[in-house]
Amino acid sequence: MFQLSDTLIHEDSLVRLRHDLHREPELGLDLPLTQRKVLDALDGLPLEITLGKRLSSVTAVLRGGRPGPAVLLRADMDALPVQEDSGVPYASAVPGRMHACGHDLHTAGLVGAARLLAARREELTGDVVLMFQPGEEGMRGAALMVEEGVLDAAGSRVVAAYALHVTSSVLPTGYAAVRPGPMLAASDAVTVRVDGSGGHGSSPHSAKDPVPAVCEMVMALQTMVTRTVDVFDPAVVTVGSLHAGSAGNVIPQSAEFEATVRSFSRETQTKVRAGIEQTVRGVAAAHGVDVAIDYQENYPVTVNDPAEAAFGLRTARGLFGTDHAFEAPRPLTGSEDFSFVLREVPGAYLGLGACPPDRDPATAPYNHSPRAVFDDRAVLDAALLLAELAAGRLQETTEEDS
């Protein structure tokens, strides 16, 4: 098993890499500066490297010294369109961009894992695929990398895949959490446009007003969820944007609202989509207006394989202590495009604490906040955990086959 002492020799360079990434955050699928930093950090390691065609990804394969299967480790690399207000000395130098979700730490952690695994390459009974992924924040970068063959980069389909995510609050540094089954929600986006006929506000009978129709739709969707969705397999529908009209005495021609939908099973996701479409069409018919629905299923549910989640929990407890790694009692309503990987191969997605010691995890700003701060020490934890997940999984597979 890897120990903290294994990572300490890399501590300065990994923290420096993390700070360099943090100062120059990039958005979306095209991350040329980030890609260059990762390639420089991996230089000299015995890796087979492939670059993405439709995105600035890096796929690196480490061949073990003995034959065996392949496992995958993933880190996301993109930042958020957030103006940083953290006060750290290595704050973003790019206005309106920030690594507010800790992906800089994920990336440095996977580089650290690559170095640890490379140092023990001859002991590995199989291969490790390192997946450095752009476009996690709403751009489906993992799906693109799957399409470009990341799961088969070692020459055969990986038998397991692992990723982790740090939190700037909730969990102190040195703690980890995982659960079997749903870990994160599916995320869908809905835009509904209602078209009527405009008119003067004093004579609504001579128009077809889309405003009351839209208002009724928004309220009816809440009732639809509570009356059709099993409370033990829940869904959340939130309307976050609603626009209509330009003056108080004018009935507008159209009105529009946008919503996000979160669910934890494919069954509920399908049921809610059908319910939304049926509800808004019914309300529109009652008001005599036309309706257009744009429904986008963005990210599926992130589902941890039960056996891989149990392995992840054992691994984390072995590294951090039995009282510092636990089974999460429930999934989170955030979403994650590692779900596209776990839809294809078994694996596990783990949470890792990164709340600095001078902050209260219960009140510290959470991920995506402009004031979010992540503890540098979690870089070492990420490197250790990722490396041990890969090495341990290869070893377990070898023991099972012997």
Side-chain angles (χ1 to χ4, degrees), residues 227-252:
R227 291 300 177 268
T228 62
V229 176
D230 186 343
V231 69
F232 296 107
D233 186 10
V236 175
V237 177
T238 297
V239 175
S241 174
L242 192 156
H243 298 278
S246 58
N249 64 344
V250 177
I251 294 173

Side-chain angles (χ1 to χ4, degrees), residues 76-239:
D76 38 10
M77 305 190 295
D78 55 323
L80 285 160
V82 172
Q83 180 61 44
E84 183 158 3
D85 186 28
S86 66
V88 297
Y90 51 89
S92 171
V94 183
R97 297 181 183 181
M98 177 188 175
H99 269 294
C101 205
H103 294 185
D104 53 332
L105 196 152
H106 300 168
T107 303
L110 186 54
V111 168
R115 293 175 180 174
L116 292 173
L117 291 165
R120 298 190 181 180
R121 185 173 68 90
E122 295 304 321
E123 302 172 23
L124 297 179
T125 52
D127 305 326
V128 182
V129 178
L130 308 170
M131 176 182 176
F132 292 91
Q133 179 215 313
E136 191 282 323
E137 297 290 352
M139 301 296 288
R140 299 165 64 94
L144 290 176
M145 289 191 71
V146 169
E147 290 174 11
E148 292 193 355
V150 68
L151 301 181
D152 303 297
S156 61
R157 179 60 52 109
V158 297
V159 297
Y162 306 100
L164 54 79
H165 206 300
V166 294
T167 61
S168 59
S169 62
V170 182
L171 289 178
T173 302
Y175 282 77
V178 68
R179 72 185 310 275
M183 184 73 178
L184 291 160
S187 174
D188 301 340
V190 190
T191 300
V192 175
R193 178 185 171 90
V194 176
D195 289 302
S197 59
H200 199 286
S202 65
S203 304
H205 62 282
S206 63
K208 290 185 178 180
D209 192 346
V211 174
V214 162
C215 293
E216 187 173 330
M217 288 174 186
V218 171
M219 298 308 297
L221 289 180
Q222 306 307 311
T223 302
M224 180 276 296
V225 171
T226 62
R227 291 300 177 268
T228 62
V229 176
D230 186 343
V231 69
F232 296 107
D233 186 10
V236 175
V237 177
T238 297
V239 175

